[in-house]
């Protein structure tokens, strides 16, 4: 119900393009689309241009190009040759591939980085490139999906990393100057190799090829943050949010970065903004609640925040409430929160380890021993399968400590620090 002027102020823009899109998918015939755009100047609510386009669905990219060219003309902007080429580009000739790509993009932008969402994104991009093997952007995002599955520890196999590299290289082979392909390779070096300098080389190249792209600006900010360059990361994420203000994932990342810098008062409104953009997530509620506890000690505000959160990601939901109950000195309630959680919480963090820790605090040593033994078996197997994963050794060190195996606990903790020192993260 906002006016055009209010929308322009919210988004920080001088012009707004609005309109309607009407689809007609007639059975047995070709589908058609009718688009009626109009360009409005925010300052005085002047309608500068309007038109109507009706095409078969297969011509939808041509319509996009026509509308873009018309808007550019009305704004009095002169495009450079490569910009004119970008306006006219058709990402794919296969509409089914494009639909799969768009579905993948939706899953890929999930703020919770949920396991199911990451896998569904990869599946959709796989479908898109299967339908159109020359679809550059789909290959690039397929690479990013594989890299994300590795980085977020959903699949730490060498095969997953090899698929990420292969998809990025295929995108570059098809289009050596593709910003999306260079961004994908940047994420491969960041997520897959922790090679931040090579990641920045690729991302800087992508930024030169496509200035002011929010996804590229955000990726550079993520690398800076991982390097400990928090102020630079903050500037980058603020720019990314300005460029793409309705991206809940980017807004959440900005809130987290303010939180990292102990600036919770500035983080709080961005947490709330991420929630308003994507209410069906858990992490923004969780991190905001944790912020209330950390910076003001307000358990009441934290609980009120978590009570708004949907239980859409059982592991994250259980961990959020586990932390709340423990801070409120309700260990029994904390155990109940874990009861409905999956066996593995964060990837490779067994639920039994947290249960053992609570029993240990309650001085119920028999239950603590049993839970920690279950965690030990789980983690020792994980350490055999992924011996170079620092989190496995860290959790295993905690487990040995709870079991009273001091020397082994220190050994595992030192191994974790050796694998991932502060200089690398």
């Amino acid at each position: 119900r906002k006016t055009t002027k209010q929308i322009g102020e919210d988004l920080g823009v001088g012009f707004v393009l609005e309109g309607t899109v009407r689809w007609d998918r007639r059975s047995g015939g070709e589908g058609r689309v009718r688009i009626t755009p109009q360009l409005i100047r925010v300052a005085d609510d002047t309608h500068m241009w309007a038109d109507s386009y009706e095409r078969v669905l297969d011509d939808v990219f041509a319509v996009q190009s026509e509308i873009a060219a018309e808007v550019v003309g009305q704004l009095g902007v002169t495009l450079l040759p490569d910009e004119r080429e970008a306006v006219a580009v058709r990402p794919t000739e296969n509409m089914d591939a494009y639909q799969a790509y768009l579905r993948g993009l939706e899953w890929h932008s999930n703020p919770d980085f949920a396991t199911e969402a990451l896998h569904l994104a990869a599946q959709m991009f796989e479908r898109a490139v299967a339908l159109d093997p020359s679809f550059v952007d789909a290959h690039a995002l397929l690479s990013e999906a594989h890299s994300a599955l590795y980085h977020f520890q959903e699949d730490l196999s060498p095969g997953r990393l090899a698929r990420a590299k292969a998809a990025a290289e295929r995108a570059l082979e098809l289009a050596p100057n593709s910003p999306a392909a260079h961004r994908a390779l940047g994420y491969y070096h960041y997520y897959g190799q922790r090679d931040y300098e090579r990641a920045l080389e690729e991302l800087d190249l992508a930024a030169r090829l496509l200035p002011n792209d929010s996804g590229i600006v955000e990726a550079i900010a993520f690398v800076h943050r991982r390097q400990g360059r928090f102020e630079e990361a903050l500037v980058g994420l603020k720019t990314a949010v300005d460029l793409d203000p309705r991206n809940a994932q980017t807004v959440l990342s900005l809130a987290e970065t303010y939180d990292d810098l102990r600036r919770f008062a500035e983080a709080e409104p961005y947490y709330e903004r991420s929630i308003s953009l994507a209410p069906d997530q858990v992490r923004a509620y969780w991190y905001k609640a944790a912020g209330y506890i950390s910076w003001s000690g307000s358990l009441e505000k934290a609980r009120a925040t978590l009570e708004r959160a949907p239980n859409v990601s059982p592991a994250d939901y259980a961990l959020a409430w586990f932390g709340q109950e423990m801070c409120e000195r309700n260990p029994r309630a904390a155990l109940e929160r874990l009861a409905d959680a999956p066996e593995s919480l964060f990837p490779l963090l067994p639920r039994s380890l947290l249960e053992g820790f609570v029993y240990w605090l309650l001085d119920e040593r028999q239950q603590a021993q049993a839970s920690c033994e279950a965690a030990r078996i789980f983690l020792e197997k994980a350490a055999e399968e992924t011996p170079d994963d620092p989190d496995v050794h860290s959790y295993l060190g905690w487990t040995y400590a709870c079991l009273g195996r001091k020397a082994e606990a220190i050994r595992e903790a030192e191994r974790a620090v050796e694998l991932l020192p502060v200089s690398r993260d």
Side-chain angles (χ1 to χ4, degrees), residues 20 33 100 149 211 261 269 281 289 296 304 353 358 409 411 413:
T20 60
V33 60
L149 283 163
L261 292 168
Q281 60 168 310
S296 69
L353 176 55
V358 177
R411 181 197 70 204

Side-chain angles (χ1 to χ4, degrees), residues 101-120:
Y101 169 80
L102 293 177
R103 290 179 184 274
L105 202 59
E106 178 71 14
W107 289 113
H108 193 60
S109 62
N110 180 281
D112 285 337
F113 299 105
T115 302
E116 182 186 20
L118 292 173
H119 281 288
L120 284 169

Side-chain angles (χ1 to χ4, degrees), residues 165-239:
K165 185 179 182 183
E169 290 177 341
R170 178 58 180 152
L172 277 174
E173 182 183 328
L174 290 165
N177 290 322
S178 162
H182 285 287
R183 189 183 85 168
L185 201 54
Y187 268 115
Y188 166 76
H189 289 302
Y190 165 31
Y191 279 174
Q193 305 293 339
R194 292 186 180 271
D195 188 340
Y196 306 125
E197 295 307 322
R198 288 195 67 185
L200 288 174
E201 287 175 11
E202 292 294 336
L203 294 170
D204 288 342
L205 177 55
R208 290 196 297 273
L209 291 165
L210 188 61
N212 292 326
D213 177 79
S214 62
I216 296 170
V217 172
E218 178 185 54
I220 292 171
F222 285 159
V223 177
H224 285 159
R225 189 169 68 177
R226 189 68 59 165
Q227 291 178 307
R229 298 158 63 180
F230 286 99
E231 291 294 346
E232 290 172 81
L234 189 64
V235 170
L237 286 169
K238 287 171 74 174
T239 301

